[in-house]
Amino acid sequence: MVLLESEQFLTELTSLFQKRQLSGSVFITLKKYDGRTKPIPRKSSVEGFEPSDNKCLLRANDGKKKISTVVSSKEVNKFQMAYSNLLRVNMDGLKKRDKKSKSKKSKAVQ
Amino acid sequence: MPQYQTWEEFSRAAEKLCLTDPMKARVVLKYRHSDGSLCIKVTDDLVCLVYRTDQDVKKIEKFHSQLMRLMVAKESRSVAMETD
């Protein structure tokens, strides 16, 4: 699992989407993260570990390649804009919305 | 493993799950371009909520960003969009 900087994560994520266009899936996982870098042992007390409250962990993989990044509250604004765009641009193989609202008739194309 | 047919119900239940125990809950997105399908799952390893679609990219992407903000926000109480 490769831990990347946010920008690089976005670049790699784009290439994952592009690689998997013809076949395969792209998985993205999002989880709150408290900054731990070592496993917390069951019995002994934890030394010098202060859980932080403002981070989340974002992972992505396409079945073969795995990447991840940590996003904190400082970067979230910038990251989120870029990330949302990325998702919108890459997840474009879906159908358009089927139904318009029933109250108005959609313009008939003649 | 409840599969939700309506986005409304799913997003309500999913947000509730994330707020109940933020450290346990995780969100998984699966996108298949070849099938044109998108699946979002929210689970805390006890309860698992799933929503599949072939259309609602915008909704799911917005929701995903909303959850990300929730996780990164410092206050651990339930957060509506707080004014900064």
Side-chain angles (χ1 to χ4, degrees), chain A residues 28 30 53 77 80 95, chain B residues 27 29 31 54 64 69 74:
Chain A
I28 298 176
L30 170 67
D53 193 24
N77 279 317
Q80 205 192 312
K95 284 196 253 162
Chain B
V27 183
L29 264 185
Y31 173 69
D54 53 1
H64 194 79
R69 282 186 173 276
K74 273 217 166 149

Side-chain angles (χ1 to χ4, degrees), chain A residues 14-54:
Chain A
T14 311
S15 77
L16 280 187
F17 273 111
Q18 286 166 351
K19 263 201 289 175
R20 295 294 156 201
Q21 278 224 348
L22 293 177
S23 75
S25 330
V26 178
F27 294 89
I28 298 176
T29 309
L30 170 67
K31 191 177 170 143
K32 192 167 156 74
Y33 178 54
D34 63 358
R36 65 183 80 178
T37 49
K38 290 190 206 168
I40 296 182
R42 262 178 271 183
K43 289 190 183 171
S44 47
S45 57
V46 187
E47 298 175 2
F49 171 65
E50 287 182 23
S52 51
D53 193 24
N54 62 339

Side-chain angles (χ1 to χ4, degrees), chain A residues 79-96:
Chain A
F79 179 80
Q80 205 192 312
M81 275 202 309
Y83 178 68
S84 299
N85 269 329
L86 201 164
L87 287 189
R88 247 176 285 151
V89 165
N90 285 294
M91 297 190 177
D92 61 348
L94 271 50
K95 284 196 253 162
K96 303 285 176 182

